[in-house]
């Protein structure tokens, strides 16, 4: 890993199907979501890379004030509280307020090429790390 390349042995996971809800059809593949169990070394590498990336983002003030994930003291509750606050403010002003939200398979829709370009252009990630 000194050369920035993750060994092939760290690129595999044991994948187990997990039923999304107990009332779903057990015979339907869509009733399940895959759970990937990584090796200990893969998980440690993932944690180290995430910590370094977050440190870089914090040091260069690149995290949005509204970013809730990966920030101490910010969680899903913080994000929901902000959305509710915005809705209540709109209602108090007699403005129109609506919320439509779907996070179904949100990470499955990420375009990796766009993600890599944004990591480079917006967050200064480059070289071996970006590769």
């Amino acid at each position: 890993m000194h050369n920035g390349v993750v060994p092939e042995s760290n690129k595999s996971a044991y994948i187990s199907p997990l039923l999304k809800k107990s009332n779903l059809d057990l015979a339907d593949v869509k009733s399940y979501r895959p759970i990937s169990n990584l090796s200990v070394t893969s998980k440690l590498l993932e944690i180290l890379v995430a910590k370094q990336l977050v440190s870089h983002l914090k040091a260069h003030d690149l995290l949005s004030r509204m970013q809730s994930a990966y920030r101490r003291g910010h969680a899903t509750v913080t994000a929901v509280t902000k959305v509710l606050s915005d809705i209540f403010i709109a209602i108090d002003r007699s403005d129109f307020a609506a919320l439509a939200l779907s996070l179904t398979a949100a990470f499955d829709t990420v375009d990796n090429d766009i993600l890599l370009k944004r990591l480079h252009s917006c967050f200064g990630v480059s070289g071996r790390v970006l590769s």
Side-chain angles (χ1 to χ4, degrees):
M1 280 189 256
H2 293 290
N3 60 3
V5 176
V6 177
E8 287 298 319
S9 62
N10 287 25
K11 293 182 181 180
S12 62
Y14 179 75
I15 301 174
S16 305
L18 182 67
L19 191 62
K20 293 177 184 177
K21 294 180 183 175
S22 60
N23 62 339
L24 294 176
D25 180 9
L26 297 176
D28 186 359
V29 174
K30 294 179 182 175
S31 298
Y32 297 86
R33 63 184 170 106
I35 300 298
S36 298
N37 293 308
L38 298 170
S39 68
V40 173
T41 54
S42 295
K43 195 64 184 171
L44 287 172
L45 178 62
E46 180 182 300
I47 290 167
L48 290 171
V49 169
K51 283 186 176 190
Q52 287 182 340
L53 180 58
V54 171
S55 291
H56 168 79
L57 296 175
K58 285 180 182 177
H60 294 89
D61 198 27
L62 296 170
L63 282 175
S64 165
R65 198 173 54 83
M66 305 313 293
Q67 174 76 32
S68 290
Y70 311 108
R71 296 181 71 192
R72 188 174 301 276
H74 294 78
T76 307
V77 174
T78 310
V80 171
T81 302
K82 169 67 172 130
V83 170
L84 285 175
S85 174
D86 289 348
I87 290 172
F88 291 144
I89 288 169
I91 291 170
D92 287 345
R93 292 181 184 156
S94 298
D95 288 341
F96 178 76
L99 174 64
L101 183 64
S102 173
L103 299 176
T104 305
F107 290 106
D108 295 338
T109 62
V110 173
D111 183 306
N112 288 329
D113 291 332
I114 293 171
L115 175 62
L116 291 172
K117 286 176 186 171
R118 288 196 42 102
L119 281 170
H120 178 66
S121 64
C122 300
F123 301 106
V125 177
S126 62
R128 190 181 304 171
V129 174
L130 188 64
S131 297

